Amino acid sequence: MTGPASRKIERAPTIIIRNLSVSYGGDTVLRDISSGGDDFSPGRLIILIGPNGSGKSTLLRTLCGLLRYEGSVTLGGRELRTYRRKELGQIVGMLPQHTAADISYSVHDLIGLGRIPHGGLLSSRSEADEEVILEAAGAMGVERLLFRQASKLSGGEMRRVLMAMLLAQDPAVFLLDEPSSASDIKHAALMFSMMKDLSSAGKLVISAVHDINLAARFADVLVVIKEGRIMDIVQGRDLDEEILGRLYDVPFELFTSSGGERAWHARRV
Amino acid sequence: MNSLGELSAAHRRRRARSILALQAVLLLILALVSLWRMLSGDVDISPSRIVSLLSPFLPLGSETPLDAIVVRSVRLPRLLSALGAGASLGVAGVVLQGLLQNPMAEPYTLGIASGAAFGGALVISSSVMAVVPAAFIGALFAMAAVYMLAERAGGGRVQVILAGVIVSAFLSSGVTFLKAVADERIGAIVLWLMGGFSGSSPLSAAAVWLAAAVSFCVSWLYGRHLDAVSLGEDVGASLGVDERKLRLLLLSAVSMSSAVTVSFFGIIGFVGLVVPHIMRMLTGSTHRPLLSCSLLGGAVLMAAADGSAQMCNELPVGVITAMIGAPFFCWLLARRRMSNL
């Protein structure tokens, strides 16, 4: 495999969650979540599924160190809240669901922002940074957009540019919130194979995904979240109508292609 | 990859050249405006005499001639004060707009001006004459109030803006109250509030330049962090930027520099609002080039506005900045919209 993911070979740290609760705005969004020893360990693509508002984004933002929490989250054996912001920027990177809409940087500059955690205050971009930027742009197929204004990109293009920024940041832990939202089918496939590559290169990749069929197809580990709790942690191939039915409170129907590919659709109630 | 590398290198060279060109043009205009400002006034002094008077080594004899006093103690401090005040407000506008991601943010919309106005008006009406320190303390007090109010309300960007609006409104009503009870001192208050550079001294010029330099250096150092937080709070944080710390540091720096400006020269709006927008249209949003161009642009605009104010029988300079700034800004906005279509 080529691309930025191949640069670092050392394994990413494991995340272990014990009795995690997160509340904001007076609401408890995550309730007493715990993970097994190697549920959130590198090398396997971990995908979070669950209805809107179930707490997927909150979990990702917590793991990125953005939210106060009760309980314990350890990253490489060290409690998350003891990390300094800059340290965390070198280890953990996040693709948030929402970003500022009107960004008038060039795409090139935008991807270059990914290098901030790796430089001091005085430094500007180095030649090595420049190489990383071009490589990241290539990996996400946005080379042709490099010299465009970011404010003129479509939603899907913007997601890929932000993903390229994340690749330039080169963290050990990737937290992706709906990375393929607003993408067309071709680019959604690119995004998923990128996640797969990153995780098999030893990164810890955790991604919230809306589309259960893509999730089931690509995930090594599926973390099923409902109403702020982890309902199930299963292997991707073990997803079935029973779990989906419990998760979304609608009956699901399984379709199987002649090649053995499976897809679920919610049945009309 | 290689050709992409070359393309990218060429693109970056072009960008660097166009920013350099813009800075060169601004410097040229700055030089012309400075020349104009040094030449204009009631006393006729030839350009060559001005140049020789500016040299600190010129022996003047026992009695300082009138033209030396005019050049050294009146025109030069006034020019430098106007340049420094404009530079300081331009930088402050860039920082506040970037930090709070709000196109309306500038030192005056965030309560600094009304804080200074209240502090100044308070001492004028109680006849203590330390107006500048009082205005300075008032401005810093207002900023601290805005900051703490915003923190208590959750610490988001919108909260900072709202707190600024609230503190501004409160202190403005305080100024009105002071005017209402000031009796015969109301004239002094009104005159002071109008502001201007006619009372500039070497001290005011030095103070405002020192403040501008400090706030520019701090903001420039954190320029890339400003880039990062302007993508949204989550992106900034995931890039390792602690937005709260950044905000405290930069707000303190630009509040200090704006407070110095307001307390010496009064309320001169619009420069801090318009200059960053104009420069952003010309250079893009990347903060480091934007900061240096806004420093120059603010200085130019303010010195030119002060010159026009002096020509119009010492009108308050704030009237001129708004009169030049607003239509020009409208024209730019309209033009940009057309080119986007």
Side-chain angles (χ1 to χ4, degrees):
Chain A
M1 187 195 73
T2 56
S6 60
R7 205 174 312 110
K8 268 194 193 161
I9 317 158
E10 80 243 40
R11 262 172 90 80
T14 294
I15 289 177
I16 296 175
I17 299 172
R18 291 271 171 267
N19 308 110
L20 169 70
S21 294
V22 176
S23 22
Y24 58 70
D27 296 330
T28 306
V29 186
L30 294 178
R31 299 154 202 273
D32 201 16
I33 281 185
S34 293
S35 70
D38 62 350
D39 290 333
F40 294 103
S41 62
R44 299 177 302 168
L45 177 55
I46 300 150
I47 290 185
L48 316 178
I49 58 170
N52 293 337
S54 57
K56 304 186 296 287
S57 297
T58 303
L59 180 57
L60 289 174
R61 296 182 70 216
T62 307
L63 297 182
C64 191
L66 297 172
L67 301 175
R68 285 176 202 276
Y69 58 89
E70 287 163 47
S72 154
V73 178
T74 57
L75 173 65
R78 186 176 147 197
E79 188 62 36
L80 189 66
R81 57 168 80 84
T82 66
Y83 282 87
R84 284 182 304 122
R85 194 66 258 172
K86 176 159 182 175
E87 263 180 293
L88 219 47
Q90 293 166 350
I91 307 171
V92 181
M94 184 168 83
L95 179 69
Q97 202 169 359
H98 302 289
T99 43
D102 184 26
I103 305 167
S104 47
Y105 301 119
S106 75
V107 168
H108 183 275
D109 281 356
L110 195 55
I111 297 176
L113 292 182
R115 299 307 297 164
I116 288 180
H118 302 284
L121 275 185
L122 276 172
S123 65
S124 36
R125 283 200 306 261
S126 65
E127 278 310 306
D129 286 343
E130 174 65 17
E131 245 170 69
V132 176
I133 293 169
L134 295 183
E135 206 180 330
M140 291 317 297
V142 292
E143 308 98 313
R144 282 187 314 105
L145 307 176
L146 266 180
F147 313 121
R148 294 251 299 268
Q149 282 292 308
S151 51
K152 294 185 178 149
L153 301 180
S154 75
E157 287 171 334
M158 191 65 195
R159 297 301 279 172
R160 279 185 289 142
V161 167
L162 287 171
M163 186 65 191
M165 181 177 95
L166 204 54
L167 291 177
Q169 185 181 353
D170 194 26
V173 180
F174 285 75
L175 303 171
L176 311 171
D177 201 347
E178 306 279 352
S180 63
S181 68
S183 293
D184 53 41
I185 289 174
K186 171 184 160 190
H187 291 117
L190 171 74
M191 194 65 89
F192 275 92
S193 63
M194 175 55 71
M195 292 196 279
K196 206 76 177 168
D197 288 349
L198 286 168
S199 60
S200 47
K203 305 282 188 184
L204 175 56
V205 185
I206 306 174
S207 174
V209 170
H210 219 80
D211 184 323
I212 47 164
N213 290 309
L214 280 171
R217 189 163 153 209
F218 285 93
D220 296 307
V221 178
L222 271 175
V223 178
V224 185
I225 299 182
K226 185 180 185 184
E227 288 163 9
R229 292 196 175 83
I230 294 183
M231 193 184 94
D232 260 317
I233 298 183
V234 296
Q235 297 199 324
R237 61 174 172 275
D238 292 342
L239 188 67
D240 57 28
E241 304 87 280
E242 187 270 325
I243 296 176
L244 287 170
R246 270 194 293 140
L247 180 60
Y248 291 100
D249 296 319
V250 276
F252 274 81
E253 202 170 348
L254 174 64
F255 297 86
T256 312
S257 77
S258 52
E261 291 277 350
R262 301 182 303 164
W264 289 274
H265 291 285
R267 216 181 290 157
R268 214 175 302 185
V269 257
Chain B
M1 192 57 154
N2 243 342
S3 67
L4 185 65
E6 282 157 25
L7 264 180
S8 167
H11 164 77
R12 281 178 300 145
R13 270 199 305 278
R14 242 190 346 266
R15 269 274 304 277
R17 264 206 306 273
S18 72
I19 286 166
L20 266 179
L22 177 64
Q23 286 168 341
V25 169
L26 287 170
L27 274 174
L28 182 71
I29 303 175
L30 187 81
L32 291 174
V33 169
S34 302
L35 187 67
W36 167 47
R37 294 298 296 130
M38 289 307 290
L39 284 172
S40 60
D42 292 336
V43 185
D44 243 335
I45 309 171
S46 72
S48 60
R49 177 70 178 152
I50 286 176
V51 171
S52 64
L53 280 172
L54 286 178
S55 154
F57 303 113
L58 182 76
L60 289 174
S62 58
E63 235 173 72
T64 320
L66 176 69
D67 57 357
I69 295 176
V70 166
V71 169
R72 290 181 174 183
S73 310
V74 180
R75 290 188 193 171
L76 188 61
R78 181 167 183 166
L79 169 66
L80 289 178
S81 293
L83 291 174
S88 172
L89 292 175
V91 168
V94 171
V95 170
L96 293 174
Q97 287 166 17
L99 205 55
L100 303 174
Q101 277 306 291
N102 190 308
M104 292 290 292
E106 67 145 332
Y108 297 116
T109 50
L110 286 180
I112 295 178
S114 37
F118 184 74
L122 193 64
V123 291
I124 294 174
S125 65
S126 58
S127 84
V128 190
M129 276 336 272
V131 179
V132 170
F136 184 74
I137 291 167
L140 289 191
F141 175 78
M143 262 335 269
V146 168
Y147 186 80
M148 284 189 293
L149 207 59
E151 281 292 301
R152 288 293 292 272
R157 295 163 176 180
V158 181
Q159 279 82 349
V160 179
I161 302 272
L162 282 177
V165 171
I166 290 162
V167 168
S168 267
F170 182 74
L171 290 172
S172 300
S173 72
V175 172
T176 310
F177 171 76
L178 287 174
K179 280 189 206 161
V181 298
D183 291 334
E184 78 277 15
R185 284 189 215 281
I186 188 169
I189 295 178
V190 169
L191 197 65
W192 179 77
L193 283 176
M194 285 200 280
F197 294 97
S198 53
S200 304
S201 65
L203 171 73
S204 68
V208 77
W209 266 109
L210 183 68
V214 169
S215 88
F216 174 76
C217 290
V218 174
S219 325
W220 193 88
L221 269 184
Y222 286 91
R224 299 190 72 203
H225 291 203
L226 270 176
D227 290 345
V229 298
S230 64
L231 297 183
E233 292 173 70
D234 282 3
V235 183
S238 98
L239 288 171
V241 178
D242 188 330
E243 184 167 344
R244 296 236 168 150
K245 275 192 201 155
L246 183 73
R247 186 188 294 162
L248 182 59
L249 177 77
L250 293 185
L251 271 186
S252 311
V254 301
S255 306
M256 182 274 304
S257 70
S258 315
V260 169
T261 304
V262 183
S263 48
F264 276 110
F265 310 115
I267 291 152
I268 309 163
F270 230 68
V271 175
L273 178 68
V274 169
V275 168
H277 282 296
I278 294 173
M279 293 304 152
R280 203 174 287 115
M281 289 175 197
L282 297 172
T283 70
S285 297
T286 311
H287 279 90
R288 283 184 176 172
L290 184 58
L291 281 165
S292 52
C293 291
S294 294
L295 177 118
L296 292 171
V300 167
L301 180 60
M302 191 66 98
D306 179 44
S308 322
Q310 193 183 23
M311 278 167 58
C312 304
N313 232 344
E314 293 290 359
L315 267 180
V317 66
V319 174
I320 304 288
T321 54
M323 276 183 170
I324 310 175
F328 185 56
F329 189 52
C330 289
W331 174 72
L332 270 179
L333 271 182
R335 210 183 63 131
R336 190 171 78 143
R337 179 155 162 235
M338 304 250 279
S339 70
N340 272 357
L341 284 174

